[in-house]
Amino acid sequence: ISPWTDIAEALAAGARAALEMAAIGPEPVARFLEIFSELVEGRKEELVATAHLETALPSEPRLGSVELPRLLDQLRQAAAACRDRSWCRATIDSKLNIRSMLGPLGGPVVIMGPNNFPFAYNALGGGDFASALAAGNPILAKSHPGHPSTTRIMAEAALEALDAAGLPSASVQLLYHFAPEDGLRLVSHPSVAAAAFTGS
């Protein structure tokens, strides 16, 4: 259980990572997402067995043939969107002389994983994670207590992928648990760019 001092340290590191990520551009992020998906796929048997033990969800077809492939597809689609910048929605209105585009939010995105999707919505790899990272935002992930070992395996793969892609180490951070009042303090902190939670 992380005290507020740990959370504050992670927030500060995430704010620094946001600046570093803006300076290095999208290619290292796209590489991270691809490398991460390969590493997760390489540990498929271990991940499926661990998630089954922790959640009692069926290994097949649910975890191994449905949810894990969905996770891998989300990561790879996010890598492609990161490269082609389609998510930016660049718009030029010549008549009104207005130009706009979407960009990174300028700070870490807090992602909280649900209990019922240990892969597809895991705070360390699910759709919320993939899209926030592809848009250039560092991630502060909060693991669900229902599948800590599944999340640990994914965190190990993420750490390896961060190093291989050349991203700042604070681009992806993990906290297992904290007090509810610290959770409220975290998501309302001015350094946090957004918070995501999908599931039940």
Side-chain angles (χ1 to χ4, degrees):
I1 298 177
S2 295
W4 177 254
T5 51
D6 288 356
I7 299 169
E9 187 178 332
L11 276 173
R16 290 190 300 273
L19 297 173
E20 293 175 57
M21 290 173 73
I24 62 176
E27 183 56 30
V29 176
R31 277 199 316 269
F32 165 83
L33 290 163
E34 290 169 342
I35 295 166
F36 182 48
S37 68
E38 291 166 10
L39 292 169
V40 167
E41 190 169 31
R43 297 180 77 171
K44 176 181 177 175
E45 287 186 20
E46 179 187 11
L47 277 163
V48 169
T50 304
H52 170 67
L53 284 172
E54 290 186 316
T55 66
L57 292 169
S59 297
E60 287 298 337
R62 165 65 192 266
L63 294 172
S65 296
V66 177
E67 196 178 330
L68 190 63
R70 178 180 173 182
L71 163 70
L72 298 172
D73 189 48
Q74 289 170 162
L75 293 169
R76 291 168 179 153
Q77 285 186 48
C82 186
R83 277 204 180 91
D84 68 24
R85 314 307 283 156
S86 57
W87 63 271
C88 293
R89 296 186 195 163
T91 305
I92 299 175
D93 185 332
S94 302
K95 184 177 177 184
L96 298 174
N97 195 28
I98 297 173
R99 290 160 177 78
S100 68
M101 65 183 281
L102 302 177
L105 300 173
V109 173
V110 174
I111 300 178
M112 298 182 205
N115 70 326
N116 55 345
F117 287 94
F119 298 137
Y121 287 104
N122 192 299
L124 256 176
D128 295 336
F129 170 94
S131 57
L133 199 60
N137 304 292
I139 304 298
L140 182 52
K142 160 52 175 88
S143 174
H144 192 280
H147 37 79
S149 293
T150 303
T151 304
R152 175 191 48 79
I153 295 166
M154 294 179 72
E156 291 168 356
L159 183 61
E160 187 176 341
L162 283 172
D163 188 48
L167 277 179
S169 59
S171 300
V172 177
Q173 299 179 80
L174 171 65
L175 296 170
Y176 276 99
H177 201 52
F178 39 71
E181 59 270 20
D182 285 338
L184 292 171
R185 189 174 173 189
L186 170 61
V187 297
S188 61
H189 196 279
S191 295
V192 170
F197 174 75
T198 305
S200 63

